[in-house]
Amino acid sequence: MSPCWSDRLSAGIDRVGAPVCVGLDPVLESMHADLRARHHEPAAAVREFTRGVLHAVAEHAAAVKFQSACYERYGEHSWAAMHEGMIEAARLGMAVLWDAKRGDISTSAGHYAAAAQRLGAHCVTVSGYMGRSAVTPFLEAGLGAFVLVRTSNPDSDAVQGLRLSDGRTVAEMMADEVRSLGAARLGSCGLSDVGAVVGATKSGDAAALRARMPEQIFLVPGYGAQGGTAEDVRSMLRPDGRGVLITASRSIIYAKSAGAEPWTDAVKHAAERMRQEIAAVIAGS
């Protein structure tokens, strides 16, 4: 039997020594000029880029996060490149997260879950604002789910920061739902297959959310290019130093090469620096 998401991810974190996730957000205009020059078709560049990043970060990333929108943009061959990338990432020992932010219910969510399985994903990002039936089909398919709770975009405050009649914020209400939904889905590591997306730039809310979700893994976007720092991670940790997965995309995958250095070496060095920085913060927490 395949390990559940939380145990698979925990094993990956143990392997590299830090809860690091590298986001694959392929944008043609941002890729190294030499790579773009070799390919007339965007999908071909996306395929080479994906494989190059995966092999560059495999020693330092416990997980990789495929941004579905970026792959969908370039059509069917780019979608195929995402599928190939997921299979390769798993072969390299990394946990595979499909960042698709699905949010439909019942039958439709079941179809999305089947698509995730076919692609080779181990976990999916999900919006739970249509209720539990937007999340449970993924769990029933044996996948993990990261539910949007407190996202890093500034305009999220207008919705997620609103106070309900019982005094909770919308984000706190969603946190309670996530904990309840994940209570029956704990891995042997003691963490749930139902996690929460909590942005690094929202660290001021993190302690309250952690108190509401002690068994949840927090997927923490916003690190690096979006302004989140390693110190923002501290308030999100459990007392045992676990319970987070820190993700960075642009600051890693588009790291600038030094001189004649191959672009993949720059990516590898950026991932290594991130791993060392996150590991140091957790060790000092």
Side-chain angles (χ1 to χ4, degrees):
M1 177 181 292
S2 298
C4 68
W5 164 249
S6 56
D7 288 340
R8 183 189 297 274
L9 180 59
S10 293
I13 292 170
D14 290 344
R15 175 179 65 85
V16 302
V20 168
C21 176
V22 171
L24 276 150
D25 299 11
V27 176
L28 192 64
E29 294 77 11
S30 299
M31 294 178 191
H32 195 279
D34 288 348
L35 191 154
R36 286 185 280 122
R38 284 197 296 275
H39 300 287
H40 297 294
E41 291 296 325
V46 167
R47 177 174 281 104
E48 182 181 342
F49 177 78
T50 298
R51 185 173 179 83
V53 169
L54 291 174
H55 282 262
V57 306
E59 293 180 54
H60 307 293
V64 284
K65 179 173 71 68
F66 289 78
Q67 174 50 260
S68 189
C70 293
Y71 286 91
E72 292 176 46
R73 173 181 179 177
Y74 298 113
E76 60 180 315
H77 297 298
S78 179
W79 180 271
M82 179 170 65
H83 167 60
E84 293 167 9
M86 289 186 179
I87 300 302
E88 182 68 2
R91 189 189 71 80
L92 291 169
M94 292 177 282
V96 179
L97 172 58
W98 187 29
D99 191 3
K101 298 182 180 68
R102 297 308 189 197
D104 212 334
I105 57 173
S106 303
T107 302
S108 295
H111 292 315
Y112 284 134
Q117 288 180 305
R118 185 177 292 273
L119 276 170
H122 303 138
C123 183
V124 184
T125 55
V126 181
S127 172
Y129 285 96
M130 290 185 73
R132 292 190 174 199
S133 58
V135 182
T136 52
F138 296 94
L139 305 175
E140 291 167 355
L143 300 162
F146 279 117
V147 182
L148 304 179
V149 173
R150 193 69 174 100
T151 57
S152 56
N153 54 305
D155 54 334
S156 66
D157 296 353
V159 175
Q160 297 164 14
L162 288 176
R163 292 282 172 185
L164 304 176
S165 59
D166 61 8
R168 295 179 297 172
T169 65
V170 170
E172 289 169 344
M173 174 274 294
M174 188 58 70
D176 292 342
E177 286 293 303
V178 168
R179 182 183 185 184
S180 176
L181 185 58
R185 298 182 181 274
L186 298 180
S188 59
C189 62
L191 297 168
S192 178
D193 285 351
V194 186
V197 178
V198 180
T201 56
K202 303 299 181 183
S203 58
D205 296 340
L209 294 174
R210 172 54 74 196
R212 291 178 179 272
M213 297 183 289
E215 295 91 16
Q216 268 57 52
I217 302 168
F218 287 11
L219 177 66
V220 186
Y223 181 88
Q226 295 183 48
T229 68
E231 293 303 318
D232 290 327
V233 174
R234 288 190 185 277
S235 60
M236 301 187 186
L237 295 170
R238 287 165 33 120
D240 61 5
R242 299 188 303 151
V244 296
L245 180 62
I246 314 302
T247 179
S249 301
R250 287 172 288 169
S251 60
I252 305 296
I253 64 177
Y254 300 124
K256 299 299 183 183
S257 301
E261 177 187 47
W263 69 270
T264 50
D265 284 357
V267 171
K268 180 178 181 177
H269 296 154
E272 182 178 14
R273 286 192 298 272
M274 179 183 174
R275 179 184 61 78
Q276 291 172 342
E277 185 174 335
I278 297 298
V281 168
I282 291 175
S285 64

